[in-house]
């Protein structure tokens, strides 16, 4: 059973992940304008690549982290994912500075991998919920 403080910390981690997913929106436009002029790629295609890389990262990371969380300490995995999220955010910031599409793409993919921590947290809440507290 999770105590109140632990539940709040886990929910704050999920909120941090969601904020990091959405905070990239203001950065995308200047980067896309530069890349679009440099490579003559449409903005819609670049937006699609942005969304696809994040989703592919989550699709790859969630099953792997699910298996690892069964075998290893979940707390360590969550901290590792938070460090990956920090690294991916730094990469996304650097991609704006250097106007690098590759750095941006790898940062989004890494952000998706780090976002797989949400599946671990959902598993923690599901395991901690007992009897009548569970939804059908």
């Amino acid at each position: 059973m999770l105590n109140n403080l632990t539940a709040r910390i886990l929910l704050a981690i999920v909120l941090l992940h969601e904020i990091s997913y959405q905070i990239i929106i203001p950065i995308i436009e200047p980067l896309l304008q530069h890349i679009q002029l440099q490579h003559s790629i449409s903005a819609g295609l670049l937006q699609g690549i942005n969304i696809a890389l994040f989703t592919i990262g989550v699709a790859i990371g969630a099953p792997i982290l699910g298996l690892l969380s069964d075998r290893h300490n979940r707390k360590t995995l969550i901290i590792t994912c938070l460090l990956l999220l920090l690294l991916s955010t730094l990469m996304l910031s650097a991609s704006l500075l250097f106007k690098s599409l590759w750095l941006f793409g790898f940062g989004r993919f890494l952000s998706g991998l780090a976002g797989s921590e949400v599946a671990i947290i959902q598993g923690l809440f599901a395991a901690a919920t007992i009897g009548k507290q569970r939804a059908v």
Side-chain angles (χ1 to χ4, degrees):
M1 181 105 182
L2 295 176
N3 63 27
N4 198 13
L5 179 63
T6 305
R8 287 177 189 228
I9 290 171
L10 291 174
L11 288 174
I13 290 171
V14 172
L15 179 65
L16 179 68
H17 169 71
E18 293 303 320
I19 289 172
S20 72
Y21 176 70
Q22 297 296 328
I23 205 163
I24 195 69
I25 292 171
I27 296 174
I28 290 175
E29 192 60 36
L31 182 66
L32 292 183
Q33 286 176 355
H34 174 75
I35 292 170
Q36 189 177 8
L37 293 174
Q38 189 178 20
H39 299 289
S40 67
I41 301 173
S42 72
L45 178 63
L46 289 173
Q47 286 282 24
I49 291 170
N50 167 38
I51 294 168
L53 286 173
F54 182 85
T55 307
I56 289 169
V58 171
I60 290 172
I64 293 171
L65 284 177
L67 289 173
L68 289 175
S69 71
D70 291 338
R71 296 182 182 153
H72 302 290
N73 188 1
R74 288 184 175 113
K75 186 178 184 181
T76 306
L77 286 173
I78 290 173
I79 292 171
T80 303
C81 286
L82 285 173
L83 291 174
L84 278 175
L85 186 62
L86 174 66
L87 179 64
S88 70
T89 304
L90 291 174
M91 290 176 73
L92 292 172
S93 300
S95 73
L96 180 63
L97 181 66
F98 298 118
K99 305 226 184 292
S100 169
L101 177 63
W102 296 107
L103 194 58
F104 180 79
F106 188 68
R108 286 306 281 170
F109 177 76
L110 196 61
S111 179
L113 283 175
S116 301
E117 72 190 4
V118 175
I120 297 172
I121 293 172
Q122 287 174 342
L124 281 172
F125 277 112
T129 310
I130 55 173
K132 293 182 180 180
Q133 293 178 340
R134 287 189 183 212
V136 176

